[in-house]
């Protein structure tokens, strides 16, 4: 190792003056026969440079290694020093040494390899101190073109050099010299040379092992022939040759072990993790020798290495040693296993999941060899519930083999053995009850590890008999509900995202087994809250699969009268259950059932009508001093809240207002208004009604589209009432303004924010994406008061979120706009608000950040013209400067959508850059020039790489012109300076930048001077010229402005101007 020399990556620490002892025989060779390089040691085809046969073989795609080895051995026989110099040249080429210093054959005469390497190191260090150089990157760790071939061919050449000659020749002269040079180079101060020399030495050991294997095979064959032969002369001849080969084998083994031990004793502790990893990886290859190897001691400290990949490689190398497939472990290996047992168990809980998985596989071998103690099993079993898949999968394999009575990993070659499925399922249920009760929600992690490995999860006849039978205890019955739901959910996600045949086949079997029995299933688990939640989820995923899969296998299971019993069975739990998540699943199941069975509509209509009547009966009593003569076991506010919650949940599947705008919607609006006027309505009921009204408004907008959306096909339709829907939407926006300006509850304000943007988006989309020539639905206008209230609330949310320390909370994951497979930002927002209101707690830091992110995402998805032209997008884009990554992501989400839409046409391109300009202007007004300039720089970093397309260049320039015109009006001191990153990013052709600068000079006035016109012009001049003509930097190629074949000449200036319609 060593230290970094100055600002260079040179691994050499002493002061570098030319030493007096430096030999002049270390040459600086111009390498006249080498081809022209692209940078240091780079060729156009990839791989290290050089014309020597060995270097050419390293970079070849399919080299004849035996031929290469024979060439070098012949060269070695005729000229030993030249052959050795070729090997050093090979090491230097693969080490990618940024120097032309090399070792010639004259340098090797009368000098020990260590002396030559020291002189070479001094010469390289001296040159690096004078000219600079990077010795950290080389072909064994590079990702450049040709690096993969180099990593494969380089050690193979050294392996072939050791396996090609006869054992006598190898041991006599070849191996001692190769060993001396590789060990000397492996002690070099430069890590690139050290790594390549270590890889060469390990390759030689591999070649020696190959020689040993061949001789061992000969000896085994000779022993068999000796036992079969009775002729004395033949036996004597075989015995003589066998004795000679055994002696050769002993000599080769001694040479191999000595070489490997000498090399590994130093390099296994090298400061470079890549070198340590190469050594441990070689040990993994040699571990098949088991007790014969003397170097397994180096695995002791490698298990606790600082680098995760080294620890994992060491644990993988131990596995072949500990396997006892052909009998019990030897005493030596068993002693090693007992010594390493505590370290392996410690690594099972390693912070790196890959290391933990390797340790758990070692633990399987230790358990099979009966080395583990009884208390060790519980520590490993707990890892089955770990959130990281590699660790969890390895722990699950351990449990299957050594905890359960039978190994349930029985699914091989894509076929499943279902004969023991029920027995295996019962074992799983016993395991769940013993180890995870009462946290059965962790069953999903166990199922994810068993997925496509255990056949019992695919036998749905056995699963159904356990679900509906009475042979299980209460805890096991609860566990089987979790197990069945998790299996269907994991399979459905796999089918939806990857469309795998295995997942589809399992879901088809589950649908055929359970769909006819769904009424019985819902009835069986109705009394247990947790089980009912899983059952509702199971119904949801099964019906969703039936609705979305091809109609052949499962589409007819619930068609016609077959689906009506399921509809009636869904009604009872929907009215009785209090868990909101279970109700959500049941409502989604209703939505999918409506697609499958027309007979479900009357049942759902009756359910909605009963809730509708209850709501209209109780709503007028809100805020009244007396509740009249109504007597009920449940207080009126709780009854009204429960009714409103069920209506809100069902509104995602059906128009629960029954298209009664003047009656139902008006009543709900009056209850919400009561909160603003008197404050007597509870926040939880208010948020519930706001979400309900938003969903109803969306459904009404969908019905007004031409044609109506399929999602509202089952809704009741009343044309007269629909004419009033736009007025109801306006009233809802007015109420949202009241909440945002008057209410003190931040959760209520966030709910009003979400409802307002949802309503604006829905009606705008209905007007513009569902219009026909005859009909164009009305869309909501955005009042100025509401726009200001929305911007103020979003600003406060973001200010609070940015105050949260970055190290304490990091929120990840966010619904992507337009993702039909996941819930929308609107749904996520109201789930978050409902949970917060139900807990009656102060918003946590995580809730603040999530609320701000979801509100920003709703802005990012809203295409309403007045929203896009207002200040809301500017507030979101300003988060590009946030110190929190999770808040920066919302800015990039909006930017990605705008950038994608900018390629649609000129109007969208203009809108894109206009939005960016507005964001810079917004921040310049509040924070000043420096902050706005930084935002410009960050935004332009995400606009594009290289030159933009001509339409985008034109839009950017037009936007800059508008910025100059606006600044000319005055009151924008420093604003043009904030726009200089738009120029310096150099995404526009130089001629257009010159054109802009000339135009801007003509507009010059006092206001523009104060706005920073000189800074803008200076940026234009520096960017257009970039560097003076004597600069070696080549100008970038101009992008073609028309489609077609590649142009042989750059686009002319006049063509660019004509294409962009510029003067």
């Amino acid at each position: 190792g060593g230290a970094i020399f100055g600002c260079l990556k040179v691994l050499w620490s002493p002061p570098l003056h030319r030493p007096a002892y430096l030999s002049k025989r270390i040459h600086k060779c111009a390498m006249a026969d080498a081809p022209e390089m692209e940078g240091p040691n780079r060729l156009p085809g990839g791989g290290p440079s050089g014309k020597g046969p060995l270097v050419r073989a390293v970079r070849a795609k399919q080299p004849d290694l035996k031929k290469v080895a024979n060439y070098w051995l012949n060269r070695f026989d005729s000229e030993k020093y030249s052959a050795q110099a070729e090997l050093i040249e090979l090491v230097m080429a693969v080490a990618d040494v940024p120097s032309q210093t090399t070792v010639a054959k004259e340098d090797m005469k009368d000098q020990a390899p260590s002396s030559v390497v020291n002189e070479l190191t001094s010469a390289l260090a001296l040159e690096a101190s004078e000219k600079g150089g990077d010795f950290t990157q080389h072909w064994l760790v590079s990702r450049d073109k040709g690096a993969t071939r180099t990593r494969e061919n380089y050690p193979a050449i050294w392996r072939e050099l050791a396996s090609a000659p006869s054992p006598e020749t190898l041991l006599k002269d070849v191996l001692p010299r190769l060993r001396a040079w590789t060990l000397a180079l492996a002690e070099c101060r430069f890590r690139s040379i050290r790594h390549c020399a270590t890889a060469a030495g390990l390759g030689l050991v591999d070649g020696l092992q190959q020689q040993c294997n061949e001789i061992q095979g000969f000896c085994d064959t000779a022993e068999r022939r000796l036992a079969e032969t009775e002729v004395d002369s033949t036996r004597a001849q075989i015995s003589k040759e066998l004795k000679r080969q055994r002696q050769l084998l002993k000599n080769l083994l001694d040479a191999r072990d000595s070489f490997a031990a000498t090399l590994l004793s130093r390099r296994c502790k090298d400061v470079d993790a890549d070198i340590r990893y190469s050594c441990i990886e070689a040990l993994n290859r040699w571990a098949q020798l088991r007790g014969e190897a003397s170097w397994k001691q180096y695995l002791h400290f490698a298990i606790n290495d600082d680098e995760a990949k080294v620890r994992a490689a060491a644990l993988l190398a131990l596995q072949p040693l500990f396997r006892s497939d052909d009998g019990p472990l030897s005493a030596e290996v068993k002693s090693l296993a007992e010594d390493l047992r505590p370290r392996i168990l410690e690594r099972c809980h390693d912070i790196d999941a890959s290391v933990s998985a390797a340790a758990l596989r070692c633990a399987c071998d230790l358990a099979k060899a009966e080395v583990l103690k009884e208390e060790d099993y519980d520590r490993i079993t707990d890892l089955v519930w770990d959130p990281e898949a590699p660790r969890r999968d390895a722990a699950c394999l351990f449990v299957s083999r050594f905890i359960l009575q039978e190994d349930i990993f029985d699914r091989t070659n894509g076929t499943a053995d279902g004969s023991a499925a029920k027995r295996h399922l019962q074992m799983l249920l016993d395991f769940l009850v013993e180890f995870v009760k009462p946290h059965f929600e962790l069953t999903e992690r166990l199922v994810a590890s068993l997925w496509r490995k255990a056949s019992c999860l695919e036998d749905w006849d056995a699963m159904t008999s356990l679900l509906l039978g009475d042979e299980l205890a209460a805890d096991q019955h609860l566990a089987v509900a979790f197990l069945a739901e998790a299996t269907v959910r994991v399979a459905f996600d796999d089918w939806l995202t990857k469309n795998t045949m295995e997942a589809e086949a399992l879901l088809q079997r589950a649908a055929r087994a359970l769909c006819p029995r769904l009424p019985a299933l819902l009835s069986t688990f109705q009394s247990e809250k947790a089980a009912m939640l899983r059952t509702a989820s199971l119904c949801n995923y099964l019906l969703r699969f039936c609705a979305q899969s091809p109609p052949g296998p499962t589409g007819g299971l619930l068609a016609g009268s077959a689906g009506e019993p399921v509809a009636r069975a869904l009604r009872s739990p929907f009215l009785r259950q209090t868990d909101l998540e279970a109700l959500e699943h049941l409502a989604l199941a209703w939505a999918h059932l409506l697609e499958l069975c027309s007979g479900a509509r009357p049942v759902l209509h009756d359910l909605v009508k009963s809730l509708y009547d209850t709501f209209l009966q109780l709503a007028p009593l809100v805020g009244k001093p007396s509740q009249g003569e109504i007597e009920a076991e449940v207080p009126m506010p709780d009854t009204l809240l429960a009714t409103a919650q069920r209506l809100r949940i069902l509104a995602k599947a059906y128009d629960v207002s029954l298209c009664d705008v003047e009656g139902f919607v008006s009543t709900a609006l009056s209850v919400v208004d009561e909160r603003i006027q008197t404050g007597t309505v509870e926040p939880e009921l208010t948020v519930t009604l706001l979400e309900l009204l938003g969903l109803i408004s969306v459904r009404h907008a969908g019905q007004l589209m031409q044609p109506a959306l399929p999602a509202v096909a089952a809704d009741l339709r009343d044309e007269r009432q629909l004419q009033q829907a736009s007025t109801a939407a306006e009233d809802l926006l007015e109420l949202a303004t009241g909440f945002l300006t008057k209410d003190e509850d931040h959760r209520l304000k966030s709910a009003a924010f979400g409802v307002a943007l949802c309503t604006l988006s829905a009606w705008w989309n209905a007007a513009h994406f569902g219009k026909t020539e005859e009909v164009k639905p009305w869309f909501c206008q955005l009042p100025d008061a509401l726009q200001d209230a929305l911007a103020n609330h979003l600003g406060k949310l973001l200010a609070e979120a940015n105050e949260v320390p970055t190290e304490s909370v990091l929120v990840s994951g966010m619904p992507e706009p337009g993702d039909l497979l996941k819930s929308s930002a609107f749904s996520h927002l109201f789930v978050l608000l409902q949970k917060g209101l139900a807990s009656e707690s102060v918003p946590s830091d995580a809730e603040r950040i999530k609320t701000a992110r979801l509100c920003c995402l709703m802005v990012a998805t809203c295409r309403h013209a007045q929203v896009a032209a207002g200040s809301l997008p500017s507030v979101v884009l300003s988060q590009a400067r946030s110190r929190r990554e999770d808040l920066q992501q919302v800015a990039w989400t909006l930017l990605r959508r705008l950038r994608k839409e900018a390629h649609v046409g000129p109007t969208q391109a203009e809108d894109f850059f206009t939005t960016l300009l507005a964001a810079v202007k917004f921040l310049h007004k509040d924070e000043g020039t420096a902050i706005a300039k930084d935002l410009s720089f960050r935004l332009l970093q995400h606009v594009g790489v290289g030159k933009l397309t001509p339409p985008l260049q034109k839009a950017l320039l037009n936007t800059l012109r508008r910025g100059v015109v606006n600044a000319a009006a005055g009151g924008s001191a420093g604003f043009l300076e904030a726009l200089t990153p738009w120029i310096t990013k150099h995404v526009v052709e130089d001629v257009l930048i010159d054109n802009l600068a000339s135009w801007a000079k003509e507009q010059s006035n006092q206001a523009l001077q104060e706005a920073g016109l000189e800074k803008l012009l200076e940026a234009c001049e520096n960017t257009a010229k970039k560097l003076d003509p004597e600069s070696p930097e080549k100008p970038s190629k101009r992008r073609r402005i028309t489609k077609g074949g590649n142009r042989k000449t750059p686009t002319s200036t006049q063509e660019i101007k004509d294409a962009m319609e510029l003067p």
Side-chain angles (χ1 to χ4, degrees), residues 279-310:
C279 294
I280 303 303
E281 197 177 33
L283 286 174
N284 190 9
R285 298 194 300 269
W286 306 338
Q288 58 183 342
L289 301 175
R290 297 194 180 180
E292 299 176 16
S294 61
W295 48 75
K296 58 181 177 292
Q297 56 183 312
Y298 302 110
L299 297 175
H300 281 72
F301 51 81
I303 293 177
N304 292 327
D305 195 273
D306 293 337
E307 190 71 24
K309 65 179 181 181
V310 179

Side-chain angles (χ1 to χ4, degrees), residues 987-1008:
V987 293
V988 179
E989 297 290 349
D990 294 345
V991 61
L992 302 180
I993 295 176
D994 288 336
N995 187 279
L996 174 68
S998 301
W999 174 84
K1001 285 181 182 179
E1002 297 173 359
Q1003 313 300 317
S1004 179
N1005 59 23
Q1006 182 62 32
L1008 285 178

Side-chain angles (χ1 to χ4, degrees), residues 964 976 1000-1001 1004-1005 1008-1009 1011-1018:
V964 172
L976 295 183
K1001 285 181 182 179
S1004 179
N1005 59 23
L1008 285 178
Q1009 294 298 327
L1013 178 61
E1014 290 300 326
K1015 294 285 186 179
L1016 184 69
L1017 295 177
E1018 181 182 352

Side-chain angles (χ1 to χ4, degrees), residues 51-171:
K51 281 192 173 181
L54 298 181
V55 179
R56 289 204 305 267
V58 163
R59 63 173 180 257
K61 291 186 177 179
Q62 293 180 338
D64 188 345
L65 298 179
K66 188 172 290 295
K67 182 177 179 181
V68 174
N70 289 332
Y71 154 80
W72 185 87
L73 291 170
N74 292 335
R75 181 75 179 272
F76 183 81
D77 290 338
S78 61
E79 184 57 57
K80 290 181 173 55
Y81 295 118
S82 296
Q84 294 173 64
E86 281 191 29
L87 288 180
I88 296 178
E89 179 189 352
L90 174 64
V91 173
M92 299 280 283
V94 176
D96 203 14
V97 175
S99 171
Q100 294 180 349
T101 301
T102 186
V103 178
K105 63 180 181 180
E106 293 83 4
D107 301 321
M108 301 186 176
K109 295 178 180 179
D110 304 327
Q111 277 207 99
S114 57
S115 300
V116 177
V117 171
N118 287 336
E119 292 181 9
L120 175 64
T121 302
S122 299
L124 291 174
L126 181 62
E127 184 178 355
S129 67
E130 296 172 350
K131 300 180 180 180
D134 185 356
F135 291 89
T136 61
Q137 296 300 315
H138 52 91
W139 287 105
L140 295 185
V141 298
S142 174
R143 294 184 179 180
D144 290 350
K145 184 179 181 181
T148 302
R149 294 197 305 271
T150 302
R151 282 191 287 270
E152 294 173 356
N153 294 338
Y154 177 71
I157 288 176
W158 292 91
R159 184 169 59 248
E160 196 65 34
L161 291 178
S163 61
S166 63
E168 295 86 351
T169 304
L170 179 65
L171 293 171

